[in-house]
């Protein structure tokens, strides 16, 4: 599609640029990764409707014109894929930072009136079909009711100032800033208020992290994004000059704001504090660290972020484990 997609991940249902292409605070649309589990469904943009049903006072449907006529909100947010649901602890570093525009979910739900016994909202997309041998009637995700009073969850119509393309989930998708991308249902056709979690494949079998703590299995839905960071520059395998100042920079993000980013230039032996910019709404945060390499040879650069609650990044075996690259320090020419 264009030269930014990484070799091997320019597939019909997965596009991803290399980390070194993520130089901008606002990721240009042609460098925003994209992922569909079951392909892009046939879309009738002109007659699109979203129904709001289940535990509501009034079941309603809203069309595109209704949504366009309502107050539009903009939310700047990072957008991160949780990774392949069969391999949840493999980091894929599929992330972008974009501006979504659309109608506040809260406002749409208020039109229907959510009943007090509703505990989850199921969101359904127009896509379905075969997913690795399982027949999926429709893509369904769910959110806990406590989140729904936020004013930054959107029924989004635009990304970076342009109407959502077919591949992006247009004409209307859910966007849940701070939650993994999988929760932001594309080609949104219904919102269903219910008392329990959705029984669908992508909310039960897939996208639940399981850990054993004191002999008990603890299941955490893949909802809130854990702290994560990556180095954009220098790129992996770049050559930098000895004795010359090099700016190491990258992005850090989490459901909560990031407070500290640390950088190591010797493979995690010593860590130094980087400068971190404040977050805007749910954006990622730029960090930078000025490094003057004193010795030649291969150097392993790493970064790790800590959020305001003190949560950091694990060393390995996690989707948000510490990012590391290698650069070659050479004699200046
Ligand atoms: N209807 C529907 N919504 C979906 C998906 C999907 O397969 N179908 N994939 C999810 C996943 S796993 C991610 S990471 C994001 C990707 O959004 P993007 O392609 O706009 O980057 O959409 C989410 N919403
Ligand atoms: Mo994803």
């Amino acid at each position: 599609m264009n030269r930014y997609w990484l070799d091997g991940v320019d597939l019909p249902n997965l596009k991803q640029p290399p980390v070194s292409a993520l130089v901008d605070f606002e990721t240009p649309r042609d460098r925003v990764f994209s992922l569909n589990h079951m392909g892009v469904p046939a879309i009738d943009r002109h007659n699109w409707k979203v129904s709001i049903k289940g535990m509501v006072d009034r079941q309603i449907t809203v069309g595109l014109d209704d949504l366009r006529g309502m107050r539009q909100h903009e939310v700047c947010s990072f957008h991160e894929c949780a990774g392949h649901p069969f391999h949840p602890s493999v980091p894929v570093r599929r992330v972008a930072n974009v501006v979504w525009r659309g109608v506040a979910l809260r406002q749409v739900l208020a039109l229907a009136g959510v009943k007090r016994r509703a505990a989850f909202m199921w969101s359904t997309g127009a896509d379905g079909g075969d997913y690795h041998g399982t027949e999926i009637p429709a893509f369904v995700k769910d959110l806990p009711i406590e989140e729904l009073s936020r004013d930054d969850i959107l029924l989004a119509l635009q990304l970076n100032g342009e109407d959502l393309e077919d591949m992006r989930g247009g004409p209307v998708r859910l966007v849940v800033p701070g939650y993994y991308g999988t929760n932001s249902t594309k080609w949104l056709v219904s919102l269903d208020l219910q008392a329990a979690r959705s029984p669908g494949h992508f909310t039960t079998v897939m996208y639940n992290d399981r850990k054993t703590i004191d002999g008990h299995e603890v299941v955490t839905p893949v909802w809130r994004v854990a702290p994560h960071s990556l180095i954009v520059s220098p790129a992996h395998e770049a050559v930098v000059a000895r004795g010359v100042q090099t700016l190491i920079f990258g992005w850090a993000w989490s459901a909560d704001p990031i407070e500290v980013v640390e950088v190591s230039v010797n493979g995690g032996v010593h860590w130094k504090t980087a400068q971190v910019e404040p977050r805007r709404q749910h954006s990622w945060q730029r960090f930078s660290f000025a490094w003057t390499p004193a010795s030649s040879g291969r150097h392993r650069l790493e970064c790790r972020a800590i959020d305001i609650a003190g949560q950091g990044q694990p060393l390995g075996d996690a989707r948000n484990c510490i990012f590391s690259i290698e650069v070659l320090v050479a004699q200046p020419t």
Side-chain angles (χ1 to χ4, degrees), residues 12-14 34-41 81-86 94 127-132 134 136 139-141 181-183 186-187 201-202 206-207:
N13 289 328
L14 171 61
S34 182
L35 188 134
N36 312 308
H37 291 80
M38 297 161 292
V40 176
C81 173
H84 197 295
F86 293 170
R94 216 171 271 154
D127 52 330
D130 176 69
Y131 184 69
H132 294 270
T134 301
I136 310 286
F139 183 86
V140 184
K141 297 298 297 186
T182 178
N183 299 291
K186 308 202 224 185
W187 314 292
H201 191 68
F202 295 111
M206 304 279 106
Y207 295 111

Side-chain angles (χ1 to χ4, degrees), residues 1-11 14-24 27-34 93 95:
M1 193 168 152
N2 74 39
R3 67 201 166 91
Y4 297 119
W5 307 127
L6 265 181
D7 289 347
V9 288
D10 184 8
L11 307 170
L14 171 61
K15 302 203 177 295
Q16 177 176 357
V19 167
S20 59
L22 301 175
V23 287
D24 305 283
T27 312
R29 282 187 315 140
D30 65 357
R31 297 188 194 192
V32 179
F33 75 88
S34 182
R93 273 90 198 211
V95 63

Side-chain angles (χ1 to χ4, degrees), residues 24-27 73-79 96-101 150 152 154 160 175-178 278-285:
D24 305 283
F25 174 74
E26 183 180 305
T27 312
H73 298 260
E74 282 195 352
V75 178
C76 178
S77 180
F78 69 80
H79 174 51
N97 188 63
V98 296
V99 178
W100 301 103
R101 185 179 168 86
R150 284 167 51 177
D152 54 8
L154 300 182
N160 292 354
V175 168
V176 188
R279 135 159 144 171
R280 299 185 221 161
Q281 296 181 293
H282 279 274
S283 76
W284 60 18
Q285 293 166 249

Side-chain angles (χ1 to χ4, degrees), residues 4-270:
Y4 297 119
W5 307 127
L6 265 181
D7 289 347
V9 288
D10 184 8
L11 307 170
N13 289 328
L14 171 61
K15 302 203 177 295
Q16 177 176 357
V19 167
S20 59
L22 301 175
V23 287
D24 305 283
F25 174 74
E26 183 180 305
T27 312
R29 282 187 315 140
D30 65 357
R31 297 188 194 192
V32 179
F33 75 88
S34 182
L35 188 134
N36 312 308
H37 291 80
M38 297 161 292
V40 176
I43 294 160
D44 178 1
R45 287 183 173 261
H46 300 292
N47 298 305
W48 200 267
K49 283 193 175 62
V50 182
S51 62
I52 294 99
K53 58 190 188 183
M55 294 176 167
V56 290
D57 298 331
R58 298 161 289 282
Q59 181 163 327
I60 59 169
T61 55
V62 287
L64 267 193
D65 288 340
D66 301 322
L67 289 171
R68 290 198 184 111
M70 293 168 78
R71 188 167 159 213
Q72 306 293 305
H73 298 260
E74 282 195 352
V75 178
C76 178
S77 180
F78 69 80
H79 174 51
E80 184 186 18
C81 173
H84 197 295
F86 293 170
H87 310 288
S89 60
V90 175
V92 293
R93 273 90 198 211
R94 216 171 271 154
V95 63
N97 188 63
V98 296
V99 178
W100 301 103
R101 185 179 168 86
V103 176
L105 168 70
R106 202 169 65 160
Q107 196 185 346
V108 175
L109 291 181
L111 296 174
V114 175
K115 290 208 190 291
R116 291 184 68 158
R117 48 180 212 283
F120 294 90
M121 184 187 78
W122 305 356
S123 59
T124 301
D127 52 330
D130 176 69
Y131 184 69
H132 294 270
T134 301
E135 188 54 28
I136 310 286
F139 183 86
V140 184
K141 297 298 297 186
D142 59 18
L143 294 175
I145 203 84
E146 310 82 75
E147 295 287 321
L148 304 186
S149 54
R150 284 167 51 177
D151 53 15
D152 54 8
I153 301 179
L154 300 182
L155 269 59
L157 303 171
Q158 293 194 339
L159 177 142
N160 292 354
E162 306 256 359
D163 287 351
L164 294 179
E165 300 160 273
D166 292 359
M167 142 191 124
R168 203 49 73 198
V172 50
R173 78 181 292 172
L174 189 67
V175 168
V176 188
Y179 272 44
Y180 284 104
T182 178
N183 299 291
S184 291
T185 301
K186 308 202 224 185
W187 314 292
L188 186 67
V189 291
S190 74
L191 299 172
D192 192 354
L193 282 299
Q194 291 292 339
R197 290 204 65 194
S198 155
H201 191 68
F202 295 111
T203 49
T204 54
V205 182
M206 304 279 106
Y207 295 111
N208 286 290
D209 291 337
R210 292 165 207 278
K211 258 194 210 154
T212 307
I213 299 175
D214 297 336
H216 297 283
E217 187 180 63
V218 179
V219 179
T220 311
V222 176
W223 284 338
R224 280 169 64 81
V225 171
H228 207 163
S229 58
L230 41 86
I231 295 170
V232 171
S233 182
H236 181 50
E237 300 292 343
V239 178
V240 300
R242 191 182 51 147
V244 177
Q245 185 173 296
T246 297
L247 190 73
I248 299 173
F249 91 85
W251 307 107
W253 65 93
S254 179
D256 285 327
I258 294 297
E259 193 161 67
V260 177
V261 178
E262 292 172 327
V263 169
S264 172
V265 294
N266 56 11
V269 180
H270 298 107

